[in-house]
């Protein structure tokens, strides 16, 4: 079972969803920094790991990790993975607790089918592991200038300082006059040797047309696609939320899946495919700038039996 936990640990650094077939899925959540104005503290952003027992279907990611680690083919890697998962399931039934390496613990109460996940507080994703602590906010300034009587203050997230524009204007003019007195020479300016080079002139219409450069030809950029789905690069549209409807471990299986499931072609207009550096193909139905929009779309989509296992992936 050590092989299984090792693969889960490694995948969580590169994947946001690691499915253990028949058990559930480990999910990585990215939480932004939070400002608590009442306490005057800024809490740093962090990652946390959760567990979803509803995601049990094999998406091929864990099998591919086995194959890459041990240089086995797909069938042998699948057989080894299933054996390790069976060992994990057996330990859950006997002891009720399984240590998933540095990730955390899976707990199953006797007589209950639901699993409880307790994340490891000392995992590298934990804030305490890096020693990151909340930091104090800048105090609100209460400074009053003598000349204007205006007070510096905070508006929104920007500090505004009172500045006397008239004083700045006078000082700028004085500095410019001093610079002119220093750098302009006292001798007479001499005219250039070839005065013809500095005389204005006109080109005839015929010469102007000959010297005019041709307008550049703009070529239409072809958007790369995969089986009709728009390919979204890894660095493109960062921070977006994608409603994933299918995940395949490699290009060959992705081709076969789309050919055998034509119903997924309904998402080619608004959706696309995310291809990771490991070759994993994630077909998504739609993408959103906010998590709320993605969750609202997901709740409607999962009402259809064919897309019950759809989930949200953050780029």
């Amino acid at each position: 079972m050590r092989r299984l936990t090792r693969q889960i640990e490694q995948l969580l650094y590169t994947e946001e969803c690691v499915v253990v077939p028949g058990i559930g899925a480990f999910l990585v959540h990215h939480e932004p920094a939070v400002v608590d104005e009442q306490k005057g503290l800024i809490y740093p952003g962090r990652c946390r790991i959760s567990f979803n027992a509803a995601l049990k279907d094999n998406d091929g990611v864990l099998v591919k990790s086995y194959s890459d680690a041990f240089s086995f083919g797909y069938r042998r890697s699948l057989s080894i993975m299933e054996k390790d998962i069976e060992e994990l399931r057996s330990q859950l039934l006997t002891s009720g607790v399984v240590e998933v390496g540095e990730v955390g613990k899976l707990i199953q109460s006797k007589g209950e089918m639901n699993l409880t996940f307790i994340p490891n507080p000392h995992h590298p994703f934990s804030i305490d592991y890096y020693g990151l602590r909340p930091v104090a906010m800048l105090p609100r300034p209460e400074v009053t200038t003598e000349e204007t009587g205006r007070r510096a203050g905070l508006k929104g997230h920007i500090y505004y300082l009172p500045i006397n524009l008239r004083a700045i204007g006078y000082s700028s003019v004085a500095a410019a006059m001093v610079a002119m007195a220093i750098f302009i020479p006292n001798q007479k300016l001499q005219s250039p040797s070839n005065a013809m080079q500095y005389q204005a002139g006109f080109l005839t219409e015929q010469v102007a047309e000959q010297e005019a450069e041709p307008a550049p030809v703009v070529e239409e950029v072809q958007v790369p696609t995969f089986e009709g789905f728009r390919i979204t690069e890894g660095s493109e549209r960062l921070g977006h939320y994608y409603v994933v409807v299918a995940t395949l471990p490699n290009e060959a299986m992705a081709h076969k899946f789309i050919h055998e499931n034509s119903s997924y072609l309904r998402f080619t207009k608004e959706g696309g495919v995310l291809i990771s550096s490991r070759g994993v193909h994630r077909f998504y139905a739609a993408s959103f700038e906010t998590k709320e929009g993605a969750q609202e779309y997901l709740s409607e989509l999962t009402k259809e039996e064919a897309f019950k296992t759809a989930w949200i992936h953050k780029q």
Side-chain angles (χ1 to χ4, degrees):
M1 193 179 67
R2 176 57 185 164
R3 288 177 302 200
L4 176 62
T5 58
R6 183 61 177 166
Q7 299 308 314
I8 294 173
E9 288 174 340
Q10 293 179 345
L11 283 172
L12 285 174
Y13 287 102
T14 57
E15 305 291 335
E16 294 190 347
C17 178
V18 179
V19 178
V20 181
I23 301 295
F26 294 93
L27 305 172
V28 179
H29 304 273
H30 301 275
E31 298 181 352
V34 178
V35 177
D36 190 336
E37 294 189 357
Q38 293 183 349
K39 295 182 179 180
L41 295 175
I42 301 176
Y43 294 88
R46 62 176 181 173
C47 292
R48 64 180 180 86
I49 303 174
S50 68
F51 181 79
N52 189 343
L55 300 175
K56 298 181 179 181
D57 293 340
N58 183 10
D59 61 357
V61 174
L62 191 56
V63 180
K64 189 175 187 302
S65 180
Y66 267 77
S67 179
D68 293 342
F70 305 110
S71 299
F72 294 151
Y74 178 80
R75 291 186 178 180
R76 188 175 181 186
S77 299
L78 180 63
S79 177
I80 295 174
M81 183 192 71
E82 290 176 344
K83 181 180 178 181
D84 291 344
I85 294 175
E86 188 60 34
E87 184 180 347
L88 184 148
R89 186 181 287 107
S90 176
Q91 185 173 338
L92 278 173
L93 292 175
T94 54
S95 64
V97 180
V98 170
E99 293 275 356
V100 188
E102 295 183 347
V103 178
K105 297 180 181 179
L106 282 176
I107 301 175
Q108 181 173 347
S109 304
K110 293 184 178 180
E112 296 183 5
M113 299 300 294
N114 294 332
L115 291 176
T116 302
F117 174 67
I118 300 178
N120 178 14
H122 302 295
H123 188 272
F125 286 158
S126 171
I127 290 179
D128 296 334
Y129 186 86
Y130 291 102
L132 299 178
R133 299 291 186 224
V135 296
M137 299 174 60
L138 291 174
R140 296 178 180 271
E142 296 292 340
V143 181
T144 304
T145 61
E146 297 180 357
E147 294 185 3
T148 61
R150 296 177 182 175
R151 189 174 59 185
L154 177 66
K155 184 176 181 181
H157 297 287
I158 302 174
Y159 283 96
Y160 290 91
L161 297 176
I163 298 175
N164 193 324
L165 297 179
R166 181 177 298 176
I168 291 178
Y170 292 154
S171 60
S172 300
V173 173
M177 293 179 67
V178 171
M180 291 174 65
I182 293 174
F183 294 107
I184 294 179
N186 294 327
Q187 61 184 3
K188 285 187 177 182
L189 296 176
Q190 297 180 358
S191 60
S193 58
N194 188 3
M196 293 296 294
Q197 297 178 0
Y198 298 89
Q199 292 182 359
F202 298 93
L203 291 176
T204 63
E205 184 177 353
Q206 183 178 1
V207 175
E209 290 178 357
Q210 292 176 356
E211 295 185 357
E213 296 182 358
V217 178
V218 179
E219 297 182 358
E220 184 179 355
V221 179
Q222 297 294 331
V223 179
T225 60
F226 180 90
E227 295 291 347
F229 287 86
R230 177 182 180 274
I231 297 177
T232 303
E233 300 293 339
S235 60
E236 185 180 357
R237 303 180 72 182
L238 292 176
H240 279 61
Y241 296 85
Y242 299 85
V243 179
V244 178
V245 292
T247 305
L248 285 306
N250 53 55
E251 182 178 353
M253 295 186 67
H255 279 296
K256 182 179 178 182
F257 177 82
I258 294 300
H259 289 166
E260 295 177 355
N261 298 271
S262 58
S263 59
Y264 284 77
L265 295 176
R266 60 185 271 197
F267 303 119
T268 55
K269 185 176 180 181
E270 296 183 359
V273 58
L274 291 163
I275 303 178
S276 70
S277 58
R278 300 168 62 92
V280 178
H281 287 58
R282 292 190 178 96
F283 293 93
Y284 62 90
S287 64
F288 300 86
E289 294 183 355
T290 62
K291 185 177 181 180
E292 292 74 15
Q295 288 177 338
E296 183 179 353
Y297 183 91
L298 179 66
S299 62
E300 291 296 324
L301 183 62
T302 51
K303 292 178 181 180
E304 302 182 36
E305 187 65 29
F307 307 107
K308 282 286 186 182
T309 58
W311 56 285
I312 298 175
H313 169 79
K314 183 181 179 183
Q315 184 77 343

